[in-house]
């Protein structure tokens, strides 16, 4: 990711000799990368770990229970607010 951002910034700097707005764009890209992008690295292979949307594994049993209870509350709320959809999903799961 860093290589792509740096090479993009270099291209914007080179283009900046014709139009100085590209220099501003390069500075903005580098600023945003330093501000938001340095700490967010993804695994090189998608099969290397859990799905990106999956939360990290709980570090203690108490954290696990809190997560499990929160998930159960969300599922009960979903079933209560969308009874027809939840029944359809249960039928599909049963097949």
């Amino acid at each position: 990711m860093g290589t792509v951002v740096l090479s993009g910034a270099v291209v914007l700097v080179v283009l900046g000799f014709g139009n100085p707005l590209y220099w501003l764009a390069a500075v903005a890209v580098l600023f945003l990368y330093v501000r938001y992008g340095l700490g967010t690295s993804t695994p090189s292979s998608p099969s290397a770990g859990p799905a990106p949307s999956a939360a990290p594994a709980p570090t203690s049993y108490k954290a696990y229970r809190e997560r499990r209870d929160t998930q159960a509350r969300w599922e009960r709320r979903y079933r209560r607010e969308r009874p027809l959809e939840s029944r359809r999903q249960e039928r599909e799961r049963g097949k």
Side-chain angles (χ1 to χ4, degrees), residues 50-66:
S53 63
T59 56
S60 68
Y61 183 68
K62 183 178 179 183
Y64 161 74
R65 274 195 340 242
E66 289 174 2

Side-chain angles (χ1 to χ4, degrees), residues 42-94:
T42 58
S44 59
S45 130
S47 62
S53 63
T59 56
S60 68
Y61 183 68
K62 183 178 179 183
Y64 161 74
R65 274 195 340 242
E66 289 174 2
R67 244 180 91 91
R68 181 193 63 191
D69 294 345
T70 303
Q71 182 67 30
R73 263 185 254 122
W74 277 104
E75 288 174 358
R76 284 192 302 269
R77 179 180 174 188
Y78 182 84
R79 284 194 306 266
R80 183 176 64 243
E81 292 178 354
R82 299 171 181 85
L84 297 176
E85 180 68 18
S86 61
R87 280 189 221 131
R88 184 188 62 79
Q89 289 175 352
E90 287 174 8
R91 275 195 315 267
E92 288 177 355
R93 257 188 253 140

